[in-house]
Amino acid sequence: QVQLVESGGGLVQAGGSLRLSCAASGIIFSIHAMGWYRQAPGKQRELVAHILSGGNTNYADSVKGRFTISRDNAKNTVYLQMNSLKYEDTAVYYCHTGLWETTGYWGQGTQVTVSS
């Protein structure tokens, strides 16, 4: 019933941009905090950005000033605009509901690859 579907990943050169989308269904989207996480091979999963139901945001230090999280409650969709991409941003990016990594729902992930 609950489904999170990410899209927008791909291959991009360093310095370029991508916009990820996560479309949610089966939940009352507007009351949920939403997050983007990422995991690269050999590294632990890390929080990239959160957006609360009221619109407040927070970001990992590594992406501040480069990434922007936003949401469109009318479309049940959360976005991650990624600018000035670096090789170190290469990872699988996951959409998640809620504030705590150990609860909530996860999407299947979308691959972002940044070439140097």
Side-chain angles (χ1 to χ4, degrees):
Q1 183 178 348
V2 177
Q3 190 173 48
L4 303 176
V5 180
E6 299 101 333
S7 62
L11 175 64
V12 65
Q13 293 184 349
S17 298
L18 286 173
R19 190 188 195 192
L20 306 183
S21 298
C22 172
S25 60
I27 60 170
I28 305 175
F29 179 81
S30 62
I31 69 171
H32 285 274
M34 299 293 296
W36 286 98
Y37 291 75
R38 67 186 182 186
Q39 187 167 28
K43 298 178 66 177
Q44 66 184 44
R45 184 171 59 194
E46 64 175 344
L47 174 68
V48 177
H50 266 141
I51 184 165
L52 304 186
S53 60
N56 289 344
T57 60
N58 68 284
Y59 298 91
D61 288 341
S62 59
V63 307
K64 285 181 180 177
R66 300 188 298 121
F67 291 10
T68 302
I69 188 170
S70 62
R71 65 192 297 160
D72 186 341
N73 289 342
K75 297 181 179 179
N76 285 6
T77 300
V78 62
Y79 304 95
L80 185 68
Q81 178 68 46
M82 305 185 294
N83 298 327
S84 301
L85 282 161
K86 305 174 180 178
Y87 174 77
E88 294 78 22
D89 296 317
T90 296
V92 178
Y93 284 70
Y94 297 93
C95 180
H96 176 257
T97 65
L99 290 174
W100 297 289
E101 188 174 354
T102 55
T103 62
Y105 296 93
W106 293 91
Q108 292 299 306
T110 185
Q111 176 72 48
V112 172
T113 303
V114 183
S115 62
S116 60

